């Protein structure tokens, strides 16, 4: 009898804990952007069990015993995705001071700082990021892989990350980590272990090395860039044969390829080689954009990056100011052309060029250049999920998807800056934020619920 009652007690305990784990959480709000429809759904209800959405729609009945979180006059949305971040880095302050820090701080300290970037990003509503490059001059550490794994294991709080490890590029190109420093300062010329590769065979070796060390996606620089000292912003930096090797080797290993590219010629060659997305694309002409449309290549415009640099020009050396000005002058027309031609546009910001956590400011820049608010929201949800190859799991609010759900006040289709005031974040069915953010002083921001800027 005694034994039986003990067993009963044990079963009861199991029963109770199973019930708690299976308890539904119901999110209610005045409206919802579901990632699929062109119009917002009114009287929105999203039902979550464990890490999944079990139903989403208008006026759905509340399951018995469910915990209800009523967010009131707000809009639910799939968690935002930023397809272009650098969570392990921060280029947002004075350029030369940053270069000093790069050689001054040890990589462990930079990794600890990155944990705050990760938290600021997810608390801003970005539950997934494609993190496109993480390198530390003179170091072989893979901080982005460590960050991704620690988030996945629940050691730290941050967005789901797809990481690129070191960007691949040519000697002296945009990704050469020793460019601008005295020759031999770091004791050797960088090689494929730093992402620096010349010739198709070395490019293949770099791709294999990165996948071996945990890359989910391959990033390469095919043209010059703004924040690099030894190149012109729009010159091609990989040959067509090198680009073909890059794409072939990456796709063979089932990894997508994102390429940093401002110049038109380099973009043309990269699209022809079959890359999955062009990052920035500032100088792309109509013929190149037409080719993107035909091949289904995504454009990730990163409007925030140029916007930030142009607003803080005094932080950069004169040579970089000139490059930033020419890229900024070209990119608005390029973006309008891309919209007109129906190029697939993904949402990506280049966070690190500006302080982490301000990613949502990209929405207003897109809308100001003619994108509809719903299309802008779709770019950061369903479209980015497609580009990242994770559309089966995230990007829309519907049955079977992972429960990445955020809420913003009011109606983002009448005021897109509502995206900058996210007030609720759930990732994988766990509430990460409800109310004020926990990270203070990481980001300068105009939003009233974030602390005053520190630096
Ligand atoms: Zn970038």
């Amino acid at each position: 009898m005694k034994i039986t009652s003990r067993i009963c007690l044990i079963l009861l305990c199991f029963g109770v804990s199973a019930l708690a784990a299976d308890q539904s959480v119901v999110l209610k709000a005045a409206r919802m952007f579901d990632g699929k429809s062109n119009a917002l759904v009114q009287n929105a209800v999203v039902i979550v069990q464990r890490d999944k959405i079990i139903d989403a729609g208008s006026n759905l009945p509340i399951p018995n015993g469910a915990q209800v979180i009523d967010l009131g006059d707000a809009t639910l949305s799939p968690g935002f995705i930023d397809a272009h971040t650098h969570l392990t880095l921060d280029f947002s302050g004075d350029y030369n001071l940053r270069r000093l820090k790069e050689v001054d701080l040890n990589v462990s300290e930079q990794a600890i700082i990155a944990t705050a970037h990760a938290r600021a990003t997810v608390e801003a509503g970005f539950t997934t990021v494609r993190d496109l490059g993480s390198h530390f001059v003179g170091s072989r550490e893979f901080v982005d892989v460590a960050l991704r794994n620690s988030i996945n294991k629940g050691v730290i709080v941050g967005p789901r990350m797809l990481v690129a490890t070191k960007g691949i590029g040519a000697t002296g190109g945009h990704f050469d980590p020793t460019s601008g420093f005295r020759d031999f300062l770091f004791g050797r010329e960088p090689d494929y272990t730093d992402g620096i590769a010349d010739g198709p065979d070395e490019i293949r070796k770099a791709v294999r090395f990165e996948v071996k060390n945990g890359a989910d996606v391959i990033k390469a620089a095919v043209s010059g860039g703004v924040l690099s000292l030894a190149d012109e912003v729009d010159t091609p930096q990989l040959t067509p044969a090198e680009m073909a090797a890059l794409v072939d080797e990456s796709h063979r290993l089932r990894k997508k390829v994102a390429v940093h590219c401002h110049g038109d010629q380099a973009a043309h060659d990269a699209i022809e080689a079959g890359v999955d997305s062009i990052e920035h694309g500032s100088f792309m002409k109509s013929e190149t954009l037409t080719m993107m449309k035909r091949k289904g290549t995504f454009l990730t415009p990163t409007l925030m990056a140029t916007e930030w640099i142009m607003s803080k020009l005094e932080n950069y050396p004169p040579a970089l100011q000139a490059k930033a000005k020419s890229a900024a002058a070209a990119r608005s027309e390029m973006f309008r052309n891309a919209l007109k031609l129906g190029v697939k546009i993904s949402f990506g910001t280049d966070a690190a060029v500006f302080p982490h956590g301000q990613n949502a400011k990209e929405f207003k820049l897109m809308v100001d250049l003619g994108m509809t608010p719903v299309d802008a929201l779709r770019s950061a949800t369903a479209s980015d999920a497609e580009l990242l190859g994770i559309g089966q799991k995230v990007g829309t609010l519907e049955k079977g998807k992972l429960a990445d759900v955020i809420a913003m006040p009011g109606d983002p289709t009448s005021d897109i800056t509502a995206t900058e005031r996210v007030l609720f974040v759930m990732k994988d069915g766990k509430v990460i934020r409800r109310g004020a953010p926990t990270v203070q002083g990481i980001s300068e921001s105009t939003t009233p619920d974030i602390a005053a800027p520190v630096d």
Side-chain angles (χ1 to χ4, degrees):
M1 187 63 190
K2 207 174 170 187
I3 291 170
T4 317
S5 60
R6 250 185 220 168
I7 290 169
C8 284
L9 190 65
I10 289 165
L11 285 177
L12 189 66
C13 288
F14 273 113
V16 167
S17 62
L19 187 72
D22 279 341
Q23 188 190 23
S24 302
V25 177
V26 172
L27 306 176
K28 289 178 70 176
R31 54 197 86 75
M32 157 172 93
F33 169 70
D34 64 9
K36 301 177 293 180
S37 332
N38 275 327
L40 300 185
V41 174
Q42 302 300 313
N43 299 320
V45 177
V46 177
I47 305 170
V48 174
Q49 210 171 66
R50 298 184 184 221
D51 62 343
K52 296 256 169 54
I53 295 170
I54 58 168
D55 211 353
S58 180
N59 288 314
L60 298 179
I62 310 293
N64 280 340
Q67 180 201 347
V68 177
I69 300 178
D70 191 340
L71 295 154
D73 181 23
T75 302
L76 299 175
S77 163
F80 294 144
I81 303 172
D82 189 331
H84 191 135
T85 63
H86 304 277
L87 290 189
T88 62
L89 305 169
D90 179 4
F91 309 134
S92 64
D94 179 83
Y95 186 83
N96 286 322
L97 200 60
R98 192 265 299 175
R99 274 166 66 78
L100 179 62
K101 274 191 200 164
E102 240 174 56
V103 292
D104 189 23
L105 296 181
N106 75 42
V107 175
S108 308
E109 185 169 351
Q110 299 189 53
I112 290 168
I113 296 167
T115 64
H117 299 161
R119 189 184 264 275
T121 303
V122 76
E123 291 197 352
F126 290 81
T127 49
T128 303
V129 302
R130 186 178 63 156
D131 203 63
L132 290 183
S134 166
H135 63 245
F136 297 86
V137 63
S139 158
R140 289 184 62 165
E141 292 297 318
F142 291 88
V143 177
D144 55 353
V145 173
L147 202 60
R148 176 197 66 193
N149 293 353
S150 302
I151 291 166
N152 288 348
K153 289 172 185 167
V155 178
I156 56 168
V157 174
R160 180 178 301 101
M161 292 176 76
L162 274 70
V163 304
T165 71
K166 293 141 209 281
I168 295 174
T171 294
H174 181 58
F175 284 165
D176 187 332
T178 65
S179 270
F181 289 110
R182 188 180 71 232
D183 180 37
F184 220 62
L185 180 62
F186 302 100
R188 64 174 176 83
E189 201 44 31
D191 61 18
Y192 72 94
T193 63
D194 307 285
I196 300 308
D198 301 294
D201 288 349
E202 270 197 38
I203 297 267
R204 284 187 194 276
K205 191 163 188 176
V207 171
R208 289 171 181 176
F209 175 78
E210 296 193 349
V211 173
K212 169 184 164 184
N213 282 289
D216 304 298
V217 56
I218 298 298
K219 167 82 178 295
V222 302
S223 92
V226 173
L227 296 185
S228 43
L229 287 163
D231 58 1
E232 291 177 40
V233 65
D234 61 343
T235 50
Q237 294 189 341
L238 294 191
T239 64
E242 288 171 327
M243 290 192 211
L246 172 81
V247 173
D248 179 64
E249 195 59 41
S250 305
H251 285 177
R252 186 186 292 275
L253 299 174
R254 302 208 178 100
K255 307 298 176 199
K256 296 205 181 197
V257 183
V259 292
H260 159 102
C261 181
H262 288 281
D264 185 63
Q265 180 64 50
H268 178 277
D269 294 347
I271 296 157
E272 197 158 77
V275 301
D276 299 283
S277 63
I278 297 283
E279 309 299 306
H280 321 303
S282 311
F283 302 100
M284 284 196 294
K285 295 181 181 143
S286 293
E287 304 82 76
T288 309
L289 292 165
T290 305
M291 192 171 152
M292 286 183 89
K293 162 75 179 163
R294 195 176 69 243
K295 295 200 66 155
T297 318
F298 274 92
L299 166 67
T300 313
T302 69
L303 303 172
M304 260 305 278
T306 31
E307 198 71 12
W308 176 266
I309 295 169
M310 291 304 288
S311 73
K312 310 265 175 189
L313 267 183
E314 69 284 0
N315 277 345
Y316 304 90
L320 303 195
Q321 292 184 14
K323 295 207 279 183
K325 282 180 191 164
S326 71
R331 58 92 155 148
S332 298
E333 194 193 336
M334 181 283 298
F335 183 84
R336 286 196 200 95
N337 273 340
L339 272 184
K340 202 164 39 182
L341 291 165
V343 173
K344 288 188 190 176
I345 294 179
S346 76
F347 182 104
T349 63
D350 218 352
V353 171
F354 60 91
H356 296 280
Q358 298 191 28
N359 317 53
K361 290 183 176 175
E362 182 85 10
F363 284 107
K364 182 173 187 301
L365 299 177
M366 292 169 118
V367 169
D368 284 351
L369 288 175
M371 203 170 194
T372 68
V374 164
D375 283 345
L377 291 168
R378 191 178 290 114
S379 76
T381 53
S383 299
D384 268 2
E386 181 195 340
L387 170 61
L388 272 58
I390 53 173
Q392 296 300 313
K393 290 196 286 190
V394 298
T396 56
L397 296 179
E398 59 187 323
K399 188 175 186 284
K401 291 281 173 86
L402 287 174
D404 286 6
V405 190
I406 62 164
M408 58 203 117
D411 178 348
T413 64
S414 54
D415 176 8
I416 194 66
T417 67
T419 54
E420 299 168 24
R421 295 184 291 278
V422 163
L423 45 82
F424 174 86
V425 179
M426 171 183 272
K427 180 187 156 218
D428 284 326
K430 293 193 184 76
V431 177
I432 284 182
R433 173 175 168 192
R434 189 174 179 186
T438 59
V439 181
Q440 305 287 313
I442 291 298
S443 311
E444 292 182 56
S445 178
T446 53
T447 54
D449 58 351
I450 290 181
V454 167
D455 59 5

